[in-house]
Amino acid sequence: MRQILNLNRKWSFTKDFDSIPAAINEKWNFVNLPHSWNAIDGQDGDNDYYRGTCLYMKEIKKEDLPVSDRYYLEIKGANSSADVYVNGNKKAHHDGGYSTWRVDITDEIGVSTMIAITVDNSANETVYPQMADFTFYGGLYRDVNLICVSESHFDLDYFGGPGLAVTPTVDGKSAKVEIEAFLTNAKEGQTLSFKILDAEGNVIAEKSQCVCCEKKAAFDIENVHLWHGRKDPYLYTAVIELLDGEKVLDNVSARFGCRKFEIDPDRGFILNGEEYPLR
């Protein structure tokens, strides 16, 4: 069963380094995430705030981790380019400060594991936007997690994706909802359980099928409750479980709304048949 450990507390932080050290320097500052090194100098309206590469480090102990087959470091946001090192070995590079990305660090996990993340918010020609009238805040400014999963699991490697896709299509008072699963190392005999929950958490539709079949399931929701913007932001939830017999190996979920829209040159934006001004 998937377990997600939040790693936000007590990262060592420094601007002053020239290589990845083997150990944490106790003289560095210790910070909790989310964190930006421009929290003060990026607030005065001038363009003189610090833009460069900084280092975050954290040690994790295997005794504090659940027993799992695979361990993924998940970084929700590092602005704007970043590199991950585990026990001094470079494992990944990522460009873009506004998207989730993950690194499989299973093979590096030991009794003690040192994680180092360098983050660079200096001007470059790789990451957009390159010019704007706001501060390009540098730092680990969203959560950092450790995702612990079985060998068979919903995909964690595809560009920070959630491992499922939900596609609702409204037709009159009903909606057809297609849910697709993306799997890693699925094995014969395993099954997928698909469910749709209403906003109160009640199961309104479900089905199961083996992973050797098409990894999609389609549902019809009668008398669908439409998502209607701020006036009525109603959401359903799609849930998928990967099972081996009765044992749940992994699970993912996503909230979604059922709605239809169009853009008319005379009437503007139309949501569920109603003119809906956008400002």
Side-chain angles (χ1 to χ4, degrees):
M1 187 75 167
R2 175 177 300 211
Q3 297 188 59
I4 301 176
L5 304 182
N6 182 265
L7 302 180
N8 282 359
R9 288 191 57 79
K10 200 175 181 181
W11 287 78
S12 61
F13 170 79
T14 184
K15 296 179 181 177
D16 185 18
F17 74 103
D18 52 21
S19 61
I20 304 300
I24 292 172
N25 188 330
E26 295 297 326
K27 294 183 179 179
W28 294 347
N29 292 324
F30 285 89
V31 300
N32 295 327
L33 309 182
H35 175 264
S36 171
W37 59 76
N38 300 122
I40 295 176
D41 65 5
Q43 294 289 322
D44 61 6
D46 290 329
N47 196 32
D48 58 354
Y49 61 96
Y50 182 79
R51 300 188 70 176
T53 303
C54 295
L55 173 66
Y56 295 85
M57 291 187 69
K58 184 179 182 68
E59 184 179 17
I60 57 176
K61 303 289 188 180
K62 192 169 186 178
E63 63 187 20
D64 297 328
L65 307 181
V67 177
S68 292
D69 296 325
R70 313 299 302 176
Y71 297 92
Y72 281 82
L73 185 69
E74 179 181 63
I75 299 169
K76 290 286 193 175
N79 201 39
S80 29
S81 295
D83 294 286
V84 168
Y85 300 81
V86 184
N87 299 326
N89 300 315
K90 186 174 179 178
K91 299 295 292 183
H93 174 81
H94 180 82
D95 291 309
Y98 309 108
S99 58
T100 296
W101 51 293
R102 306 187 186 102
V103 185
D104 186 348
I105 64 171
T106 306
D107 295 340
E108 303 288 346
I109 294 288
V111 175
S112 176
T113 304
M114 188 66 69
I115 298 172
I117 305 174
T118 60
V119 186
D120 180 10
N121 72 329
S122 59
N124 65 72
E125 297 182 355
T126 302
V127 180
Y128 284 94
Q130 295 178 7
M131 295 182 64
D133 59 351
F134 54 80
T135 298
F136 291 87
Y137 290 96
L140 292 174
Y141 70 99
R142 292 180 183 157
D143 289 350
V144 172
N145 299 314
L146 189 68
I147 304 179
C148 314
V149 291
S150 302
E151 194 67 40
S152 299
H153 56 269
F154 291 98
D155 184 76
L156 290 164
D157 292 297
Y158 188 73
F159 295 102
L164 80 164
V166 184
T167 307
T169 305
V170 175
D171 183 12
K173 295 184 178 181
S174 302
K176 183 176 290 294
V177 179
E178 181 182 272
I179 307 174
E180 183 175 5
F182 301 91
L183 300 172
T184 299
N185 296 324
K187 296 179 173 58
E188 186 176 350
Q190 295 173 349
T191 58
L192 286 168
S193 170
F194 297 85
K195 295 179 182 178
I196 294 180
L197 283 59
D198 63 17
E200 289 73 42
N202 303 306
V203 177
I204 61 171
E206 60 183 317
K207 64 177 61 175
S208 297
Q209 59 196 45
C210 66
V211 295
C212 57
C213 303
E214 187 177 25
K215 298 174 181 61
K216 296 180 182 180
F219 300 89
D220 292 309
I221 302 178
E222 303 294 335
N223 298 312
V224 64
H225 191 145
L226 296 179
W227 179 90
H228 203 69
R230 294 182 64 187
K231 296 179 181 180
D232 187 7
Y234 189 92
L235 294 176
Y236 294 90
T237 302
V239 179
I240 320 179
E241 293 180 330
L242 175 63
L243 299 101
D244 188 348
E246 297 295 321
K247 181 180 180 181
V248 178
L249 300 178
D250 198 9
N251 66 300
V252 289
S253 64
R255 300 170 76 195
F256 67 95
C258 295
R259 81 286 183 270
K260 59 181 179 180
F261 66 90
E262 59 182 305
I263 298 175
D264 184 274
D266 298 317
R267 298 173 61 198
F269 181 75
I270 302 170
L271 178 64
N272 301 325
E274 176 185 319
E275 293 180 12
Y276 202 101
L278 297 180
R279 298 184 178 90

